[in-house]
């Protein structure tokens, strides 16, 4: 009998997830992005736009965020499999990388100013 109870719960769970609204403060945990990046991606159209849920409150539909996550997984899998997106990854790797840490004072930089 308990097996039937779990099956009924499993059928309801996807319906509840579709109706869930993710508030702005929860979005960094849901996406792994900082709020600034979230809003940038919304304005670029690469992340679903939020819905207005109050005069000063917005939220994202959980099923739209889940679809966004799945799209990101597919993009990753294509890159790893050598698919179409592999060239995009090579282009990103060819870009110059910013040095990490504090700039060091070395003798060559001092000589340039003499």
């Amino acid at each position: 009998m308990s097996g039937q109870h779990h099956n009924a719960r499993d059928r309801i769970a996807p319906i509840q997830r579709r109706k869930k609204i993710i508030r702005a403060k929860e979005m960094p945990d849901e996406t792994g992005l900082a709020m600034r990046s979230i809003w940038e991606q919304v304005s670029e159209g690469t992340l679903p736009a939020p819905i207005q849920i109050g005069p000063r409150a917005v939220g994202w539909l959980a099923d739209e965020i889940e679809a966004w996550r799945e799209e990101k997984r597919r993009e990753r899998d294509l890159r790893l499999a050598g698919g179409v997106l592999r060239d995009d990854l090579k282009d990103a790797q060819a870009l110059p990388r910013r040095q990490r840490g504090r700039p060091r004072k070395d003798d060559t930089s001092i000589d340039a100013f003499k």
Side-chain angles (χ1 to χ4, degrees):
M1 187 138 123
S2 64
Q4 292 174 348
H5 181 66
H6 289 292
N7 289 339
R9 216 184 296 163
D10 291 341
R11 285 194 309 264
I12 294 171
I15 295 169
Q16 290 173 341
R17 188 177 36 226
R18 280 196 306 252
K19 293 182 178 183
K20 183 178 181 209
I21 295 175
I22 302 169
R23 297 293 305 268
K25 66 183 177 182
E26 300 166 345
M27 281 297 286
D29 290 335
E30 292 288 331
T31 62
L33 300 170
M35 281 308 297
R36 180 181 175 124
S37 296
I38 290 169
W39 288 116
E40 285 175 355
Q41 288 195 22
V42 167
S43 67
E44 293 168 357
T46 57
L47 187 70
I51 59 170
Q52 193 78 37
I53 57 177
R56 294 178 48 134
V58 296
W60 282 260
L61 297 174
D63 61 337
E64 291 180 358
I65 298 304
E66 184 59 33
W68 174 82
R69 273 194 213 106
E70 287 299 321
E71 180 182 340
K72 293 295 177 191
R73 283 187 197 115
R74 280 192 299 276
E75 289 173 4
R76 180 204 56 201
D77 293 346
L78 274 173
R79 279 194 301 271
L80 294 174
V84 177
L85 296 174
R86 188 77 180 173
D87 293 332
D88 295 338
L89 183 61
K90 287 178 189 173
D91 292 340
Q93 290 173 342
L95 295 174
R97 298 188 80 178
R98 184 173 73 89
Q99 289 184 343
R100 294 182 57 140
R102 242 176 122 185
R104 294 186 179 192
K105 294 181 182 177
D106 57 329
D107 295 335
T108 57
S109 63
I110 295 172
D111 292 337
F113 291 106
K114 290 183 180 178

